[in-house]
Amino acid sequence: MTEHSQLDDFERTGGGAVLMDGNRLRDEIVAELNAEITAAGSPEVCLATVLVGDDKPSRIYVRNKQRKAAEAAMVSRHVELGADAAQGEVEEAVRDLASNPGVHGILVQLPLPEGLDADAVLELIPPEKDVDGLTPRSMGRLVRGQPGHVPCTPLGVMRLLDRYGVPTSGTRAVVIGRSTLVGLPQILLLGRKGVDATPTLAHSRTPELQAVCQQADILVAAAGMARLVTADYVKPGAAVIDVGISRTADGIVGDVDFDAVQEVAGAVTPMPGGTGPMTIACLLQNTLAGARMLGAFPA
Ligand code: NAP
């Protein structure tokens, strides 16, 4: 249990579950980063974003990241290329940022337009600047328990669990989804020594998904299937974390049927306002860590 384990202190949903408020925790983290950078004499800590094409949600994500970087007293630099950019142009832009000593984190907003090889672009990001934690070198470090950047969305989930006093040691966890962006690193983080949950990785071929989920003390839904997790998937008292984002006629919908699940769960994230803001908060924390690794910020 952490110092924040007094669940009584937290806001609850109408059904009595603790509301794991990602906006609130993001704001706390951004304020802490601002205080840390200011106290160090405001050295320049720079996050570079690369946007290729005109995908509207991607543009909004990038804008939000830049806005929060500014609130954290960080500088951002933005490179934008048209949807018809050639592979070589995108690689050239990332190479420039990789070799620029004034840049401490590089975020290539995914997905890239069709026809571009995202893996080849990500490979160009040095591990210290790989603040999204998505390159094979960062992933390898995570698997081997070596220091490095951890992917922001699963890291944000871990921060929420910690902040809201959800115990992990000795618990059963189920993660729905096995992508390298979310599900796989999530399993590694939950099973790490010191965290000590026993995670199960579920996916579209998992038989009896509902029964598997009912075993979970911690359930992380990252499938991208609107309202997949209904109340009867949830063990009473479990912590349920919604990562999924589906754009439907009703607007943006998560993987969790929030209204029903909050009646059963012990703690639950809202959607929006749960894991999304935490992804940005962790990106900024990784950027400051990157500046430290590069010797551009006091250790
Ligand atoms: P992805 O690469 O499409 O992976 C989805 C995973 O879910 C796959 O492993 C898939 O299984 C599994 N899955 C799909 N339908 C399922 C079902 N009915 N039952 C069980 N498993 C199922 O997606 P992703 O990149 O991991 O993203 C997942 C979701 O999170 C998306 O909605 C994405 O928009 C959202 N997201 C949110 C944030 C955030 O900050 N909140 C960040 C990143 C992503 P198979 O492997 O068998 O196909």
Side-chain angles (χ1 to χ4, degrees), residues 153 176-179 181 203-204 209 222-225 243-245 275-276 279:
T153 301
I176 312 175
R178 55 179 162 183
S179 70
L181 184 66
H203 45 77
S204 67
L209 181 65
M225 292 287 296
V243 175
I245 300 171
T275 53
T279 298

Side-chain angles (χ1 to χ4, degrees), residues 176 209-216 219 228-235:
I176 312 175
L209 181 65
Q210 181 177 328
V212 171
C213 292
Q214 281 170 348
Q215 301 288 312
L219 178 57
L228 170 70
V229 175
T230 50
D232 46 12
Y233 277 54
V234 176
K235 180 177 172 177

Side-chain angles (χ1 to χ4, degrees), residues 166-192:
V166 176
T168 53
S169 180
T171 62
R172 281 173 195 250
V174 172
V175 177
I176 312 175
R178 55 179 162 183
S179 70
T180 48
L181 184 66
V182 190
L184 268 179
Q186 191 73 73
I187 286 286
L188 295 169
L189 292 172
L190 285 162
R192 260 183 172 181

Side-chain angles (χ1 to χ4, degrees), residues 21-149:
D21 184 341
N23 282 327
R24 182 175 154 182
L25 182 50
R26 178 215 42 217
D27 289 346
E28 287 174 12
I29 290 173
V30 167
E32 281 165 18
L33 290 168
N34 183 307
E36 208 173 339
I37 293 169
T38 308
S42 303
E44 235 177 55
V45 175
C46 176
L47 170 67
T49 50
V50 179
L51 180 65
V52 187
D54 43 20
D55 181 55
K56 216 170 153 200
S58 291
R59 189 171 291 281
I60 294 169
Y61 291 146
V62 167
R63 201 182 306 136
N64 286 340
K65 286 162 186 171
Q66 291 168 337
R67 195 175 296 151
K68 291 297 158 189
E71 285 178 25
M74 291 181 184
V75 177
S76 45
R77 174 183 284 251
H78 183 57
V79 177
E80 196 160 329
L81 296 165
D84 56 354
Q87 179 78 21
E89 281 176 79
V90 183
E91 292 186 6
E92 188 57 33
V94 172
R95 256 193 217 101
D96 280 351
L97 296 170
S99 63
N100 184 337
V103 169
H104 309 111
I106 303 173
L107 175 116
V108 178
Q109 185 64 46
L110 300 176
L112 293 179
E114 224 165 286
L116 293 176
D117 179 351
D119 285 345
V121 172
L122 295 180
E123 289 273 6
L124 299 169
I125 304 175
E128 296 80 6
K129 298 189 183 187
D130 177 25
V131 285
D132 238 357
L134 294 180
T135 65
R137 279 182 289 181
S138 295
M139 283 286 178
R141 289 179 182 200
L142 177 61
V143 169
R144 303 194 64 164
Q146 295 168 346
H149 290 304

